[in-house]
Amino acid sequence: MGGDRLLDDVDSALLAGLRADGRRSYLQLAADAGVSPYTARRRVQHLLDTGVARVAVRVNRDVVDGTRQAVIGLSVDGSTDPVLEAAGALVRLDNVVPCTGAYDMLVWVGFQDEGDLLRVVSEDIRALPGVRRAEVFFPLRTVKDTRG
């Protein structure tokens, strides 16, 4: 199952079952994929071992610690590589990704209040070498979030 091979129907069915409910048993996954529970367990383990899938828990910050989250679009001068590396080292940033479009990269940050966010933007993000512009976006509410 290397990077150049597509997933087969069984792998796709197993992944779809796990996306629907990551706590599904191998018995349930096997029934959905039309294979034995042993085969389901072996195939899921292979998907995990090869990095095709990973197990993750997403914590709802609003419920746990009352933090909010913002997405910040960054435009940079020159290569994005040094900025990506420096941003990746910032503990306060949850996600750092290069992208196409109006921004060169997007970062996600958790914050307690507007003063906290201002500190992160002014002291950490704008201090990154090569950052020309930073635009902050506040999600108003989550309608759908399937990231795992």
Side-chain angles (χ1 to χ4, degrees):
M1 207 169 293
D4 57 353
R5 188 178 138 209
L6 297 176
L7 300 176
D8 65 16
D9 291 342
V10 172
D11 293 331
S12 295
L14 293 169
L15 290 172
L18 289 169
R19 277 191 206 108
D21 181 356
R23 299 170 297 171
R24 294 182 94 168
S25 70
Y26 289 119
L27 190 61
Q28 292 169 316
L29 292 169
D32 292 345
V35 296
S36 73
Y38 170 79
T39 298
R41 185 189 64 74
R42 185 177 52 80
R43 297 286 290 263
V44 167
Q45 190 60 54
H46 185 71
L47 292 168
L48 294 169
D49 290 345
T50 57
V52 171
R54 66 183 172 89
V55 176
V57 174
R58 289 187 45 90
V59 175
N60 183 339
R61 290 180 167 202
D62 292 337
V63 173
V64 174
D65 61 11
T67 60
R68 296 172 57 198
Q69 193 163 54
V71 179
I72 305 171
L74 301 178
S75 298
V76 303
D77 292 322
S79 173
T80 58
D81 290 341
V83 184
L84 287 165
E85 185 176 333
L90 293 175
V91 174
R92 292 291 309 267
L93 301 184
D94 296 325
N95 294 318
V96 176
V97 297
C99 61
T100 60
Y103 302 98
D104 298 308
M105 55 193 287
L106 297 174
V107 300
W108 282 254
V109 61
F111 64 96
Q112 294 292 330
D113 55 38
E114 286 74 14
D116 186 32
L117 178 60
L118 179 60
R119 281 187 293 282
V120 172
V121 172
S122 62
E123 296 172 13
D124 295 335
I125 293 174
R126 291 192 192 275
L128 293 170
V131 170
R132 176 174 19 95
R133 179 175 169 224
E135 186 170 352
V136 179
F137 299 91
F138 295 100
L140 300 175
R141 67 184 172 116
T142 301
V143 176
K144 180 179 181 179
D145 186 352
T146 60
R147 296 172 294 155

